Amino acid sequence: MEKSLGYLGILATPKQSNPPFSREAFYRFLSKEGMKTGLPVYVFLPEGVDIQKKTVTGYRYLPQQGSWELKKFPLPSIVYDCLWGRRKYRTQLKWLKAQANVTFLNHFLRNKITTYKSLVQDEVLASFLPPTKQVTSMNVIKEMLQVHGEVVIKPIQSTSGKGVMKITSNQTTHQAEGRDLKNNIFRKRFENKEALLKWIGNLPRVKRLVQPYLDLSSPEGSPFDIRVLVQKDSKGEWVETGRALRSGTTSGLTSNLCGGGRATTVAPFLESMFNEEQRMEIERQISAIGEKLPSYIESKHGRMVELGLDIGVDRKGKVWIIEVNSRPGRNSFKRIENGTKYKTALSSPIKYAHYLLEKKQKADGQVP
Ligand SMILES: Nc1ncnc2c1ncn2[C@@H]1O[C@H](COP(=O)(O)OP(=O)(O)O)[C@@H](O)[C@H]1O
Ligand SMILES: [Mg+2]
């Protein structure tokens, strides 16, 4: 077994492949980045945690061979938690989190409702939030429809745009449109409000929230949002890595890349919609959110290493916080600014892990 000098353990999601985990290329990159900077990086799966022996069986990347070697390691000093489908592994997770010598680099936001409830307590952040309610009964939707005429319902779990629907009910129109849970675009019209509500009531049982529909589209009718990636740097401070504009298809409601959206730079897009003064104000407000929100959310939900903020801008130029992702994708940054932001986006977790490890060693008295 390796002698423990401290290492970063990536808790990965199991996958039926070789090696048996998802995001292999990303973890390979992190392993190489770790090697360059003197921080060993190993990948492990929840099944690899041995509670009795206090060890983990994991994978070490061998650059010469270009392959992963299965090995037994002591417990990681730092864990980068990238595990999806956590319910099955509650025992291992709880145990690992309870180990005094294991530090988690990041925690997860449970769902959109718990995040909303935290954010809305802060006066400044609350001013950017659309009123949001969990759909505990059809009455919640009815009431929202009465006030706003058009609402959006969406699953409280992050879904890359799946199941996000706009519901309209007024004198002349009763309809639902958006994406179903399989990501197909649909539009359905109904005779009256009752038929519409009945249809909603029969949707697959997932927990949903409802909020007013915001016109977050360009004059051409493409929905768009701004993805802001904020990450911890090597001093443990939050910095904005970059922002990218994502725009969806004109026939759709969502701007997620998985739904066929495209990523471009922000300024030219906003310039085509707003005058210079408005654009500067929008960008300034987005910066303010990026500076305030991360440490605030950490104070409520535990340490984080990166957050993806989905920011909407309506036709009047009002800025909205649409979603906070604690496991953000990085693909929006691949093609913009020659991919320079993408490299920073990928390597950030290693930098913050270094910082945490040094802090830990100082606290343990290993370093004078
Ligand atoms: N209230 C809303 N009004 C208009 N469009 C919305 C609203 N909420 C979400 N959207 C659109 O749907 C997309 C996905 O919603 P989001 O809350 O980010 O959920 P997820 O990405 O987890 O599916 C957003 O990026 C935005 O384009
Ligand atoms: Mg989103």
PDB file of all heavy atoms in Angstrom, residues 112 130 151-152 154-164 209 211-216 223-225 227 246 253-256 310 322-325, ligand 1:
ATOM      1  N   LYS A 112     -33.351  22.208  -6.421  1.00  0.00           N
ATOM      2  CA  LYS A 112     -33.603  23.629  -6.703  1.00  0.00           C
ATOM      3  C   LYS A 112     -34.415  24.315  -5.594  1.00  0.00           C
ATOM      4  O   LYS A 112     -34.285  25.515  -5.418  1.00  0.00           O
ATOM      5  CB  LYS A 112     -34.356  23.760  -8.031  1.00  0.00           C
ATOM      6  CG  LYS A 112     -33.515  23.379  -9.246  1.00  0.00           C
ATOM      7  CD  LYS A 112     -34.314  23.599 -10.505  1.00  0.00           C
ATOM      8  CE  LYS A 112     -33.966  22.626 -11.584  1.00  0.00           C
ATOM      9  NZ  LYS A 112     -33.051  22.965 -12.579  1.00  0.00           N
ATOM     10  N   PRO A 130     -36.820  34.644  -9.317  1.00  0.00           N
ATOM     11  CA  PRO A 130     -38.256  34.628  -9.611  1.00  0.00           C
ATOM     12  C   PRO A 130     -38.982  33.933  -8.456  1.00  0.00           C
ATOM     13  O   PRO A 130     -38.435  32.989  -7.877  1.00  0.00           O
ATOM     14  CB  PRO A 130     -38.355  33.791 -10.892  1.00  0.00           C
ATOM     15  CG  PRO A 130     -37.072  33.049 -11.015  1.00  0.00           C
ATOM     16  CD  PRO A 130     -36.049  33.759 -10.189  1.00  0.00           C
ATOM     17  N   VAL A 151     -46.730  30.308 -16.666  1.00  0.00           N
ATOM     18  CA  VAL A 151     -45.770  29.830 -15.661  1.00  0.00           C
ATOM     19  C   VAL A 151     -44.857  28.776 -16.268  1.00  0.00           C
ATOM     20  O   VAL A 151     -45.127  28.242 -17.351  1.00  0.00           O
ATOM     21  CB  VAL A 151     -46.485  29.234 -14.412  1.00  0.00           C
ATOM     22  CG1 VAL A 151     -47.369  30.265 -13.743  1.00  0.00           C
ATOM     23  CG2 VAL A 151     -47.273  27.973 -14.779  1.00  0.00           C
ATOM     24  N   VAL A 152     -43.774  28.501 -15.546  1.00  0.00           N
ATOM     25  CA  VAL A 152     -42.897  27.400 -15.949  1.00  0.00           C
ATOM     26  C   VAL A 152     -42.948  26.360 -14.844  1.00  0.00           C
ATOM     27  O   VAL A 152     -42.919  26.717 -13.662  1.00  0.00           O
ATOM     28  CB  VAL A 152     -41.449  27.920 -16.166  1.00  0.00           C
ATOM     29  CG1 VAL A 152     -40.445  26.770 -16.134  1.00  0.00           C
ATOM     30  CG2 VAL A 152     -41.350  28.652 -17.499  1.00  0.00           C
ATOM     31  N   LYS A 154     -40.932  22.801 -13.632  1.00  0.00           N
ATOM     32  CA  LYS A 154     -39.734  21.997 -13.927  1.00  0.00           C
ATOM     33  C   LYS A 154     -39.377  21.122 -12.744  1.00  0.00           C
ATOM     34  O   LYS A 154     -39.704  21.445 -11.596  1.00  0.00           O
ATOM     35  CB  LYS A 154     -38.568  22.912 -14.312  1.00  0.00           C
ATOM     36  CG  LYS A 154     -38.212  23.990 -13.320  1.00  0.00           C
ATOM     37  CD  LYS A 154     -37.163  24.957 -13.903  1.00  0.00           C
ATOM     38  CE  LYS A 154     -36.933  26.138 -12.990  1.00  0.00           C
ATOM     39  NZ  LYS A 154     -36.103  27.187 -13.562  1.00  0.00           N
ATOM     40  N   PRO A 155     -38.699  19.994 -13.016  1.00  0.00           N
ATOM     41  CA  PRO A 155     -38.303  19.092 -11.929  1.00  0.00           C
ATOM     42  C   PRO A 155     -37.378  19.817 -10.944  1.00  0.00           C
ATOM     43  O   PRO A 155     -36.590  20.671 -11.366  1.00  0.00           O
ATOM     44  CB  PRO A 155     -37.534  17.980 -12.646  1.00  0.00           C
ATOM     45  CG  PRO A 155     -37.992  18.032 -14.062  1.00  0.00           C
ATOM     46  CD  PRO A 155     -38.288  19.472 -14.335  1.00  0.00           C
ATOM     47  N   ILE A 156     -37.482  19.499  -9.651  1.00  0.00           N
ATOM     48  CA  ILE A 156     -36.620  20.181  -8.676  1.00  0.00           C
ATOM     49  C   ILE A 156     -35.179  19.676  -8.757  1.00  0.00           C
ATOM     50  O   ILE A 156     -34.266  20.329  -8.287  1.00  0.00           O
ATOM     51  CB  ILE A 156     -37.170  20.094  -7.222  1.00  0.00           C
ATOM     52  CG1 ILE A 156     -37.135  18.670  -6.661  1.00  0.00           C
ATOM     53  CG2 ILE A 156     -38.567  20.663  -7.133  1.00  0.00           C
ATOM     54  CD1 ILE A 156     -37.403  18.625  -5.158  1.00  0.00           C
ATOM     55  N   GLN A 157     -34.989  18.499  -9.353  1.00  0.00           N
ATOM     56  CA  GLN A 157     -33.629  18.008  -9.584  1.00  0.00           C
ATOM     57  C   GLN A 157     -33.113  18.580 -10.901  1.00  0.00           C
ATOM     58  O   GLN A 157     -33.884  18.764 -11.833  1.00  0.00           O
ATOM     59  CB  GLN A 157     -33.602  16.475  -9.704  1.00  0.00           C
ATOM     60  CG  GLN A 157     -34.025  15.738  -8.455  1.00  0.00           C
ATOM     61  CD  GLN A 157     -33.063  15.942  -7.292  1.00  0.00           C
ATOM     62  OE1 GLN A 157     -31.954  16.422  -7.473  1.00  0.00           O
ATOM     63  NE2 GLN A 157     -33.504  15.595  -6.096  1.00  0.00           N
ATOM     64  N   SER A 158     -31.807  18.830 -10.953  1.00  0.00           N
ATOM     65  CA  SER A 158     -31.205  19.331 -12.189  1.00  0.00           C
ATOM     66  C   SER A 158     -31.376  18.316 -13.315  1.00  0.00           C
ATOM     67  O   SER A 158     -31.150  17.133 -13.106  1.00  0.00           O
ATOM     68  CB  SER A 158     -29.710  19.548 -11.963  1.00  0.00           C
ATOM     69  OG  SER A 158     -29.402  20.877 -12.232  1.00  0.00           O
ATOM     70  N   THR A 159     -31.812  18.787 -14.487  1.00  0.00           N
ATOM     71  CA  THR A 159     -32.148  17.821 -15.531  1.00  0.00           C
ATOM     72  C   THR A 159     -31.636  18.198 -16.920  1.00  0.00           C
ATOM     73  O   THR A 159     -32.066  17.611 -17.906  1.00  0.00           O
ATOM     74  CB  THR A 159     -33.680  17.694 -15.653  1.00  0.00           C
ATOM     75  OG1 THR A 159     -34.211  19.003 -15.821  1.00  0.00           O
ATOM     76  CG2 THR A 159     -34.295  17.036 -14.457  1.00  0.00           C
ATOM     77  N   SER A 160     -30.766  19.200 -17.025  1.00  0.00           N
ATOM     78  CA  SER A 160     -30.285  19.673 -18.332  1.00  0.00           C
ATOM     79  C   SER A 160     -31.434  20.057 -19.256  1.00  0.00           C
ATOM     80  O   SER A 160     -31.401  19.780 -20.442  1.00  0.00           O
ATOM     81  CB  SER A 160     -29.423  18.624 -19.031  1.00  0.00           C
ATOM     82  OG  SER A 160     -28.508  18.084 -18.146  1.00  0.00           O
ATOM     83  N   GLY A 161     -32.443  20.657 -18.701  1.00  0.00           N
ATOM     84  CA  GLY A 161     -33.549  21.163 -19.511  1.00  0.00           C
ATOM     85  C   GLY A 161     -34.694  20.184 -19.714  1.00  0.00           C
ATOM     86  O   GLY A 161     -35.760  20.558 -20.204  1.00  0.00           O
ATOM     87  N   LYS A 162     -34.480  18.912 -19.329  1.00  0.00           N
ATOM     88  CA  LYS A 162     -35.563  17.928 -19.532  1.00  0.00           C
ATOM     89  C   LYS A 162     -36.723  18.222 -18.582  1.00  0.00           C
ATOM     90  O   LYS A 162     -36.509  18.528 -17.417  1.00  0.00           O
ATOM     91  CB  LYS A 162     -35.055  16.509 -19.258  1.00  0.00           C
ATOM     92  CG  LYS A 162     -34.028  16.053 -20.247  1.00  0.00           C
ATOM     93  CD  LYS A 162     -33.705  14.573 -20.020  1.00  0.00           C
ATOM     94  CE  LYS A 162     -32.391  14.219 -20.636  1.00  0.00           C
ATOM     95  NZ  LYS A 162     -31.295  14.131 -19.669  1.00  0.00           N
ATOM     96  N   GLY A 163     -37.933  18.120 -19.101  1.00  0.00           N
ATOM     97  CA  GLY A 163     -39.119  18.315 -18.256  1.00  0.00           C
ATOM     98  C   GLY A 163     -39.401  19.765 -17.903  1.00  0.00           C
ATOM     99  O   GLY A 163     -40.219  20.034 -17.031  1.00  0.00           O
ATOM    100  N   VAL A 164     -38.722  20.716 -18.562  1.00  0.00           N
ATOM    101  CA  VAL A 164     -38.989  22.138 -18.314  1.00  0.00           C
ATOM    102  C   VAL A 164     -40.104  22.583 -19.265  1.00  0.00           C
ATOM    103  O   VAL A 164     -39.961  22.464 -20.478  1.00  0.00           O
ATOM    104  CB  VAL A 164     -37.720  23.005 -18.537  1.00  0.00           C
ATOM    105  CG1 VAL A 164     -38.012  24.474 -18.265  1.00  0.00           C
ATOM    106  CG2 VAL A 164     -36.568  22.517 -17.653  1.00  0.00           C
ATOM    107  N   LEU A 209     -41.269  22.212  -9.409  1.00  0.00           N
ATOM    108  CA  LEU A 209     -41.499  23.547  -8.864  1.00  0.00           C
ATOM    109  C   LEU A 209     -42.194  24.371  -9.938  1.00  0.00           C
ATOM    110  O   LEU A 209     -42.210  24.014 -11.117  1.00  0.00           O
ATOM    111  CB  LEU A 209     -40.187  24.191  -8.423  1.00  0.00           C
ATOM    112  CG  LEU A 209     -39.114  24.486  -9.460  1.00  0.00           C
ATOM    113  CD1 LEU A 209     -39.399  25.759 -10.254  1.00  0.00           C
ATOM    114  CD2 LEU A 209     -37.765  24.642  -8.758  1.00  0.00           C
ATOM    115  N   GLN A 211     -42.775  28.516 -11.271  1.00  0.00           N
ATOM    116  CA  GLN A 211     -42.392  29.928 -11.172  1.00  0.00           C
ATOM    117  C   GLN A 211     -42.968  30.677 -12.365  1.00  0.00           C
ATOM    118  O   GLN A 211     -43.380  30.052 -13.340  1.00  0.00           O
ATOM    119  CB  GLN A 211     -40.870  30.096 -11.062  1.00  0.00           C
ATOM    120  CG  GLN A 211     -40.063  29.349 -12.051  1.00  0.00           C
ATOM    121  CD  GLN A 211     -38.545  29.393 -11.790  1.00  0.00           C
ATOM    122  OE1 GLN A 211     -37.811  29.371 -12.728  1.00  0.00           O
ATOM    123  NE2 GLN A 211     -38.082  29.430 -10.565  1.00  0.00           N
ATOM    124  N   PRO A 212     -43.038  32.010 -12.293  1.00  0.00           N
ATOM    125  CA  PRO A 212     -43.553  32.737 -13.447  1.00  0.00           C
ATOM    126  C   PRO A 212     -42.704  32.463 -14.679  1.00  0.00           C
ATOM    127  O   PRO A 212     -41.494  32.239 -14.550  1.00  0.00           O
ATOM    128  CB  PRO A 212     -43.424  34.217 -13.060  1.00  0.00           C
ATOM    129  CG  PRO A 212     -43.008  34.251 -11.643  1.00  0.00           C
ATOM    130  CD  PRO A 212     -42.632  32.897 -11.200  1.00  0.00           C
ATOM    131  N   TYR A 213     -43.328  32.473 -15.849  1.00  0.00           N
ATOM    132  CA  TYR A 213     -42.565  32.367 -17.091  1.00  0.00           C
ATOM    133  C   TYR A 213     -41.898  33.718 -17.324  1.00  0.00           C
ATOM    134  O   TYR A 213     -42.523  34.775 -17.232  1.00  0.00           O
ATOM    135  CB  TYR A 213     -43.493  32.019 -18.264  1.00  0.00           C
ATOM    136  CG  TYR A 213     -42.837  32.245 -19.603  1.00  0.00           C
ATOM    137  CD1 TYR A 213     -41.888  31.343 -20.077  1.00  0.00           C
ATOM    138  CD2 TYR A 213     -43.147  33.378 -20.376  1.00  0.00           C
ATOM    139  CE1 TYR A 213     -41.254  31.565 -21.289  1.00  0.00           C
ATOM    140  CE2 TYR A 213     -42.519  33.592 -21.591  1.00  0.00           C
ATOM    141  CZ  TYR A 213     -41.572  32.683 -22.040  1.00  0.00           C
ATOM    142  OH  TYR A 213     -40.942  32.897 -23.235  1.00  0.00           O
ATOM    143  N   LEU A 214     -40.606  33.701 -17.610  1.00  0.00           N
ATOM    144  CA  LEU A 214     -39.863  34.926 -17.895  1.00  0.00           C
ATOM    145  C   LEU A 214     -39.496  34.899 -19.367  1.00  0.00           C
ATOM    146  O   LEU A 214     -39.105  33.839 -19.880  1.00  0.00           O
ATOM    147  CB  LEU A 214     -38.586  34.968 -17.043  1.00  0.00           C
ATOM    148  CG  LEU A 214     -38.771  34.744 -15.535  1.00  0.00           C
ATOM    149  CD1 LEU A 214     -37.442  34.453 -14.863  1.00  0.00           C
ATOM    150  CD2 LEU A 214     -39.426  35.976 -14.907  1.00  0.00           C
ATOM    151  N   ASP A 215     -39.612  36.045 -20.016  1.00  0.00           N
ATOM    152  CA  ASP A 215     -39.254  36.053 -21.432  1.00  0.00           C
ATOM    153  C   ASP A 215     -37.745  36.211 -21.566  1.00  0.00           C
ATOM    154  O   ASP A 215     -37.220  37.309 -21.662  1.00  0.00           O
ATOM    155  CB  ASP A 215     -39.993  37.173 -22.167  1.00  0.00           C
ATOM    156  CG  ASP A 215     -39.826  37.008 -23.679  1.00  0.00           C
ATOM    157  OD1 ASP A 215     -39.089  36.076 -24.091  1.00  0.00           O
ATOM    158  OD2 ASP A 215     -40.402  37.795 -24.433  1.00  0.00           O
ATOM    159  N   LEU A 216     -37.071  35.080 -21.555  1.00  0.00           N
ATOM    160  CA  LEU A 216     -35.615  35.078 -21.585  1.00  0.00           C
ATOM    161  C   LEU A 216     -35.127  34.779 -22.998  1.00  0.00           C
ATOM    162  O   LEU A 216     -34.250  33.940 -23.206  1.00  0.00           O
ATOM    163  CB  LEU A 216     -35.068  34.026 -20.607  1.00  0.00           C
ATOM    164  CG  LEU A 216     -35.614  34.097 -19.177  1.00  0.00           C
ATOM    165  CD1 LEU A 216     -35.099  32.928 -18.345  1.00  0.00           C
ATOM    166  CD2 LEU A 216     -35.259  35.419 -18.517  1.00  0.00           C
ATOM    167  N   PRO A 223     -34.402  31.279 -27.008  1.00  0.00           N
ATOM    168  CA  PRO A 223     -34.159  31.416 -25.568  1.00  0.00           C
ATOM    169  C   PRO A 223     -32.651  31.426 -25.308  1.00  0.00           C
ATOM    170  O   PRO A 223     -31.904  30.729 -25.988  1.00  0.00           O
ATOM    171  CB  PRO A 223     -34.795  30.155 -24.987  1.00  0.00           C
ATOM    172  CG  PRO A 223     -34.848  29.175 -26.109  1.00  0.00           C
ATOM    173  CD  PRO A 223     -34.957  29.977 -27.362  1.00  0.00           C
ATOM    174  N   PHE A 224     -32.210  32.252 -24.387  1.00  0.00           N
ATOM    175  CA  PHE A 224     -30.776  32.253 -24.072  1.00  0.00           C
ATOM    176  C   PHE A 224     -30.568  32.435 -22.578  1.00  0.00           C
ATOM    177  O   PHE A 224     -31.459  32.924 -21.870  1.00  0.00           O
ATOM    178  CB  PHE A 224     -30.040  33.361 -24.854  1.00  0.00           C
ATOM    179  CG  PHE A 224     -30.303  34.752 -24.338  1.00  0.00           C
ATOM    180  CD1 PHE A 224     -29.463  35.332 -23.402  1.00  0.00           C
ATOM    181  CD2 PHE A 224     -31.403  35.470 -24.785  1.00  0.00           C
ATOM    182  CE1 PHE A 224     -29.714  36.627 -22.914  1.00  0.00           C
ATOM    183  CE2 PHE A 224     -31.653  36.762 -24.305  1.00  0.00           C
ATOM    184  CZ  PHE A 224     -30.811  37.338 -23.373  1.00  0.00           C
ATOM    185  N   ASP A 225     -29.428  31.987 -22.101  1.00  0.00           N
ATOM    186  CA  ASP A 225     -29.023  32.337 -20.746  1.00  0.00           C
ATOM    187  C   ASP A 225     -27.510  32.472 -20.709  1.00  0.00           C
ATOM    188  O   ASP A 225     -26.827  32.216 -21.703  1.00  0.00           O
ATOM    189  CB  ASP A 225     -29.566  31.352 -19.694  1.00  0.00           C
ATOM    190  CG  ASP A 225     -28.942  29.981 -19.752  1.00  0.00           C
ATOM    191  OD1 ASP A 225     -27.980  29.786 -20.520  1.00  0.00           O
ATOM    192  OD2 ASP A 225     -29.396  29.083 -19.017  1.00  0.00           O
ATOM    193  N   ARG A 227     -24.168  31.333 -18.775  1.00  0.00           N
ATOM    194  CA  ARG A 227     -23.587  30.395 -17.814  1.00  0.00           C
ATOM    195  C   ARG A 227     -22.317  31.025 -17.249  1.00  0.00           C
ATOM    196  O   ARG A 227     -21.394  31.348 -17.994  1.00  0.00           O
ATOM    197  CB  ARG A 227     -23.279  29.064 -18.514  1.00  0.00           C
ATOM    198  CG  ARG A 227     -22.354  28.112 -17.756  1.00  0.00           C
ATOM    199  CD  ARG A 227     -22.782  27.832 -16.327  1.00  0.00           C
ATOM    200  NE  ARG A 227     -23.997  27.051 -16.178  1.00  0.00           N
ATOM    201  CZ  ARG A 227     -24.000  25.733 -16.038  1.00  0.00           C
ATOM    202  NH1 ARG A 227     -22.886  25.050 -16.070  1.00  0.00           N
ATOM    203  NH2 ARG A 227     -25.150  25.107 -15.873  1.00  0.00           N
ATOM    204  N   ARG A 246     -25.404  30.978 -23.836  1.00  0.00           N
ATOM    205  CA  ARG A 246     -25.956  29.766 -24.452  1.00  0.00           C
ATOM    206  C   ARG A 246     -27.306  30.108 -25.058  1.00  0.00           C
ATOM    207  O   ARG A 246     -28.159  30.692 -24.383  1.00  0.00           O
ATOM    208  CB  ARG A 246     -26.142  28.673 -23.396  1.00  0.00           C
ATOM    209  CG  ARG A 246     -24.883  28.407 -22.584  1.00  0.00           C
ATOM    210  CD  ARG A 246     -25.071  27.264 -21.630  1.00  0.00           C
ATOM    211  NE  ARG A 246     -26.131  27.510 -20.660  1.00  0.00           N
ATOM    212  CZ  ARG A 246     -26.499  26.636 -19.731  1.00  0.00           C
ATOM    213  NH1 ARG A 246     -25.915  25.456 -19.666  1.00  0.00           N
ATOM    214  NH2 ARG A 246     -27.451  26.928 -18.873  1.00  0.00           N
ATOM    215  N   LEU A 253     -37.807  26.197 -25.471  1.00  0.00           N
ATOM    216  CA  LEU A 253     -37.970  27.043 -24.291  1.00  0.00           C
ATOM    217  C   LEU A 253     -36.662  27.138 -23.525  1.00  0.00           C
ATOM    218  O   LEU A 253     -36.412  28.090 -22.802  1.00  0.00           O
ATOM    219  CB  LEU A 253     -39.069  26.413 -23.402  1.00  0.00           C
ATOM    220  CG  LEU A 253     -39.241  26.892 -21.962  1.00  0.00           C
ATOM    221  CD1 LEU A 253     -39.785  28.313 -21.938  1.00  0.00           C
ATOM    222  CD2 LEU A 253     -40.193  25.972 -21.192  1.00  0.00           C
ATOM    223  N   THR A 254     -35.799  26.141 -23.704  1.00  0.00           N
ATOM    224  CA  THR A 254     -34.598  26.029 -22.885  1.00  0.00           C
ATOM    225  C   THR A 254     -33.340  26.320 -23.704  1.00  0.00           C
ATOM    226  O   THR A 254     -33.327  26.180 -24.923  1.00  0.00           O
ATOM    227  CB  THR A 254     -34.475  24.612 -22.306  1.00  0.00           C
ATOM    228  OG1 THR A 254     -34.440  23.690 -23.389  1.00  0.00           O
ATOM    229  CG2 THR A 254     -35.625  24.272 -21.387  1.00  0.00           C
ATOM    230  N   SER A 255     -32.285  26.727 -22.988  1.00  0.00           N
ATOM    231  CA  SER A 255     -31.034  27.045 -23.679  1.00  0.00           C
ATOM    232  C   SER A 255     -29.903  26.092 -23.297  1.00  0.00           C
ATOM    233  O   SER A 255     -28.751  26.337 -23.608  1.00  0.00           O
ATOM    234  CB  SER A 255     -30.647  28.490 -23.378  1.00  0.00           C
ATOM    235  OG  SER A 255     -30.938  28.809 -22.046  1.00  0.00           O
ATOM    236  N   ASN A 256     -30.241  24.988 -22.609  1.00  0.00           N
ATOM    237  CA  ASN A 256     -29.201  24.028 -22.229  1.00  0.00           C
ATOM    238  C   ASN A 256     -28.521  23.453 -23.465  1.00  0.00           C
ATOM    239  O   ASN A 256     -29.169  23.226 -24.491  1.00  0.00           O
ATOM    240  CB  ASN A 256     -29.801  22.857 -21.444  1.00  0.00           C
ATOM    241  CG  ASN A 256     -30.535  23.320 -20.209  1.00  0.00           C
ATOM    242  OD1 ASN A 256     -31.528  24.018 -20.306  1.00  0.00           O
ATOM    243  ND2 ASN A 256     -30.039  22.937 -19.065  1.00  0.00           N
ATOM    244  N   ASP A 310     -26.722  29.734 -13.755  1.00  0.00           N
ATOM    245  CA  ASP A 310     -27.513  29.999 -14.963  1.00  0.00           C
ATOM    246  C   ASP A 310     -28.220  31.326 -14.753  1.00  0.00           C
ATOM    247  O   ASP A 310     -29.096  31.445 -13.901  1.00  0.00           O
ATOM    248  CB  ASP A 310     -28.569  28.906 -15.185  1.00  0.00           C
ATOM    249  CG  ASP A 310     -27.948  27.575 -15.582  1.00  0.00           C
ATOM    250  OD1 ASP A 310     -26.748  27.551 -15.903  1.00  0.00           O
ATOM    251  OD2 ASP A 310     -28.681  26.563 -15.571  1.00  0.00           O
ATOM    252  N   ILE A 322     -31.489  31.824 -12.503  1.00  0.00           N
ATOM    253  CA  ILE A 322     -32.376  30.721 -12.892  1.00  0.00           C
ATOM    254  C   ILE A 322     -32.000  29.431 -12.171  1.00  0.00           C
ATOM    255  O   ILE A 322     -32.851  28.692 -11.690  1.00  0.00           O
ATOM    256  CB  ILE A 322     -32.328  30.498 -14.428  1.00  0.00           C
ATOM    257  CG1 ILE A 322     -32.779  31.769 -15.169  1.00  0.00           C
ATOM    258  CG2 ILE A 322     -33.200  29.312 -14.844  1.00  0.00           C
ATOM    259  CD1 ILE A 322     -34.206  32.206 -14.889  1.00  0.00           C
ATOM    260  N   GLU A 323     -30.730  29.162 -12.064  1.00  0.00           N
ATOM    261  CA  GLU A 323     -30.316  27.908 -11.412  1.00  0.00           C
ATOM    262  C   GLU A 323     -28.890  28.008 -10.907  1.00  0.00           C
ATOM    263  O   GLU A 323     -28.060  28.717 -11.502  1.00  0.00           O
ATOM    264  CB  GLU A 323     -30.398  26.749 -12.424  1.00  0.00           C
ATOM    265  CG  GLU A 323     -30.316  25.389 -11.757  1.00  0.00           C
ATOM    266  CD  GLU A 323     -30.017  24.240 -12.711  1.00  0.00           C
ATOM    267  OE1 GLU A 323     -29.768  24.473 -13.912  1.00  0.00           O
ATOM    268  OE2 GLU A 323     -30.003  23.101 -12.229  1.00  0.00           O
ATOM    269  N   VAL A 324     -28.618  27.304  -9.805  1.00  0.00           N
ATOM    270  CA  VAL A 324     -27.245  27.196  -9.306  1.00  0.00           C
ATOM    271  C   VAL A 324     -26.856  25.720  -9.376  1.00  0.00           C
ATOM    272  O   VAL A 324     -27.511  24.878  -8.765  1.00  0.00           O
ATOM    273  CB  VAL A 324     -27.145  27.700  -7.843  1.00  0.00           C
ATOM    274  CG1 VAL A 324     -25.709  27.594  -7.345  1.00  0.00           C
ATOM    275  CG2 VAL A 324     -27.646  29.138  -7.727  1.00  0.00           C
ATOM    276  N   ASN A 325     -25.830  25.414 -10.161  1.00  0.00           N
ATOM    277  CA  ASN A 325     -25.395  24.021 -10.337  1.00  0.00           C
ATOM    278  C   ASN A 325     -24.132  23.760  -9.518  1.00  0.00           C
ATOM    279  O   ASN A 325     -23.123  24.425  -9.722  1.00  0.00           O
ATOM    280  CB  ASN A 325     -25.044  23.761 -11.812  1.00  0.00           C
ATOM    281  CG  ASN A 325     -26.263  23.872 -12.713  1.00  0.00           C
ATOM    282  OD1 ASN A 325     -27.032  22.935 -12.842  1.00  0.00           O
ATOM    283  ND2 ASN A 325     -26.463  25.033 -13.326  1.00  0.00           N
TER     284      ASN A 325
HETATM  285  N1  LIG B   1     -38.975  30.675 -15.231  1.00  0.00           N
HETATM  286  C1  LIG B   1     -38.466  30.492 -16.457  1.00  0.00           C
HETATM  287  N2  LIG B   1     -38.890  31.232 -17.505  1.00  0.00           N
HETATM  288  C2  LIG B   1     -38.400  31.046 -18.758  1.00  0.00           C
HETATM  289  N3  LIG B   1     -37.454  30.131 -19.070  1.00  0.00           N
HETATM  290  C3  LIG B   1     -36.971  29.352 -18.073  1.00  0.00           C
HETATM  291  C4  LIG B   1     -37.442  29.486 -16.719  1.00  0.00           C
HETATM  292  N4  LIG B   1     -36.803  28.570 -15.952  1.00  0.00           N
HETATM  293  C5  LIG B   1     -35.964  27.915 -16.784  1.00  0.00           C
HETATM  294  N5  LIG B   1     -36.036  28.374 -18.053  1.00  0.00           N
HETATM  295  C6  LIG B   1     -35.239  27.900 -19.221  1.00  0.00           C
HETATM  296  O1  LIG B   1     -35.010  26.520 -19.049  1.00  0.00           O
HETATM  297  C7  LIG B   1     -33.618  26.235 -18.900  1.00  0.00           C
HETATM  298  C8  LIG B   1     -33.415  25.113 -17.901  1.00  0.00           C
HETATM  299  O2  LIG B   1     -33.866  25.493 -16.633  1.00  0.00           O
HETATM  300  P1  LIG B   1     -32.997  25.269 -15.322  1.00  0.00           P
HETATM  301  O3  LIG B   1     -33.749  25.847 -14.175  1.00  0.00           O
HETATM  302  O4  LIG B   1     -31.610  25.775 -15.535  1.00  0.00           O
HETATM  303  O5  LIG B   1     -33.028  23.688 -15.153  1.00  0.00           O
HETATM  304  P2  LIG B   1     -32.046  22.499 -15.647  1.00  0.00           P
HETATM  305  O6  LIG B   1     -30.888  23.125 -16.380  1.00  0.00           O
HETATM  306  O7  LIG B   1     -31.646  21.819 -14.386  1.00  0.00           O
HETATM  307  O8  LIG B   1     -32.923  21.637 -16.479  1.00  0.00           O
HETATM  308  C9  LIG B   1     -32.988  27.550 -18.485  1.00  0.00           C
HETATM  309  O9  LIG B   1     -31.632  27.597 -18.845  1.00  0.00           O
HETATM  310  C10 LIG B   1     -33.855  28.551 -19.246  1.00  0.00           C
HETATM  311  O10 LIG B   1     -33.434  28.619 -20.610  1.00  0.00           O
END
